[in-house]
């Protein structure tokens, strides 16, 4: 095969770069309380994260014993976001080593993007609050490409396009199945962080590699078949 020059890295957000589960759980439980439904434990909410706010709300209401009419979900989702967005960075923190890894990759000349099913406004607010926004040349949220959340590849391709990189010049970094499926459909190799928001072990999701510590990310990118990171 020809050598692949890696110029760009596209990151998932929740469970990959940040631990946001507590703030998501708090906002969801506030919505459930308004609906007179039982609160959910953090351990119940974590596996629900990753498919966007609407799916989180739907799963949460059903898990709490409620019912979600199709025409009611958009309203419930807006109410959830009203609880979540003003408090999205209260307990949310970067995954240990993530900020340092982003700085290392940028220093190597790689362009970085976010590609998350979280709404773009909330994404940018969190990145700014955690001082991570400066690392990213592009931010693609779940509403940036309407109706096309991961695992649809449209968001990933939008991210690589904004970075000026062809799919074979980029790598996706995530934590769950949606990241693998979206990357595969877009033509990118994909690495997963072990310990993210997935009930299936990262090693079993079919990625090109798995890393446990962000200190190992640059080496994991360099170890991709036929990969040569830009320098």
């Amino acid at each position: 095969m020809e050598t692949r020059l890696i110029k760009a890295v596209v990151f998932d957000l929740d469970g990959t770069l940040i631990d946001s589960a507590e703030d998501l759980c708090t906002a969801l439980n506030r919505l459930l309380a308004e609906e007179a439904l039982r609160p959910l434990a953090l351990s119940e909410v974590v596996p629900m994260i990753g498919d966007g706010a609407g799916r989180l709300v739907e799963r949460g209401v059903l898990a709490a014993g409620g019912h979600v009419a199709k025409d009611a979900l958009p309203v419930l989702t807006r109410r959830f976001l009203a609880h979540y967005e003003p408090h999205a960075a209260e307990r949310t923190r970067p995954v240990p080593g993530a900020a340092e890894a982003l700085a290392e990759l940028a220093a190597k000349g790689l362009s970085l993007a976010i590609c998350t099913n979280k709404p773009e406004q909330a994404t940018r607010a969190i990145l700014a609050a955690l001082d991570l926004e400066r690392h990213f040349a592009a931010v693609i949220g779940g509403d940036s490409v309407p109706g096309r959340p991961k695992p649809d590849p449209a968001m990933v391709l939008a991210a690589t396009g904004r970075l000026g990189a062809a799919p074979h010049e980029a790598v996706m970094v995530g934590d769950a199945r949606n990241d693998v499926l979206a990357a595969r459909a877009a033509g990118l190799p994909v690495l997963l962080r072990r310990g993210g928001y997935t009930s299936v072990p990262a090693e079993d999701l079919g990625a090109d590699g798995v890393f446990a510590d962000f200190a190992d990310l640059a080496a994991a990118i360099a170890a991709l078949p036929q990969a040569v990171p830009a320098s």
Side-chain angles (χ1 to χ4, degrees):
M1 295 183 182
E2 295 183 358
T3 296
R4 175 191 290 132
L5 177 65
I6 300 296
K7 297 168 54 177
V9 185
V10 179
F11 286 91
D12 173 54
L13 187 62
D14 298 271
T16 299
L17 288 174
I18 64 170
D19 182 357
S20 54
E22 286 193 56
D23 285 328
L24 288 165
C25 184
T26 297
L28 182 58
N29 279 332
R30 286 173 178 161
L31 175 67
L32 295 176
E34 291 175 349
E35 294 295 304
L37 296 170
R38 74 170 181 89
L40 299 178
L42 182 63
S43 60
E44 294 177 278
V45 173
V46 166
M48 302 177 185
I49 299 170
D51 292 317
R55 290 289 286 152
L56 175 60
V57 168
E58 182 178 31
R59 290 167 176 162
V61 170
L62 292 175
H67 171 72
V68 182
K70 186 175 182 180
D71 59 353
L73 184 57
V75 175
L76 288 170
T77 302
R78 286 194 294 271
R79 287 168 52 199
F80 163 77
L81 290 173
H83 287 303
Y84 176 63
E85 290 183 342
H87 307 284
E90 286 189 357
R91 296 189 178 182
T92 293
R93 296 292 180 268
V95 169
E100 293 81 0
L102 295 173
E104 179 184 5
L105 294 177
K108 291 178 179 294
L110 293 165
S111 298
L112 310 180
I114 287 288
C115 182
T116 173
N117 283 341
K118 184 188 293 294
E120 183 176 336
Q121 179 176 320
T123 298
R124 290 187 178 277
I126 290 169
L127 292 174
L130 300 182
D131 193 29
L132 298 177
E133 189 174 26
R134 58 195 172 91
H135 296 294
F136 296 101
V139 175
I140 304 295
D143 51 359
S144 302
V145 183
R148 306 289 292 277
K150 293 182 292 183
D152 191 294
M155 291 174 59
V156 179
L157 293 173
T160 58
R162 290 193 189 180
L163 296 180
H168 68 275
E169 296 173 320
V171 57
M172 179 83 192
V173 177
D175 70 315
R177 187 181 303 278
N178 272 351
D179 301 311
V180 175
L181 294 175
R184 290 278 181 256
L188 277 68
V190 56
L191 299 171
L192 293 183
R193 185 184 82 84
R194 186 182 296 122
Y197 297 161
T198 172
S199 57
V200 179
E203 290 84 354
D204 297 336
L205 293 176
D208 295 289
V210 175
F211 64 98
D213 192 310
F214 267 103
D216 301 324
L217 178 56
I221 293 173
L224 289 167
Q226 292 77 46
V228 178
S231 60

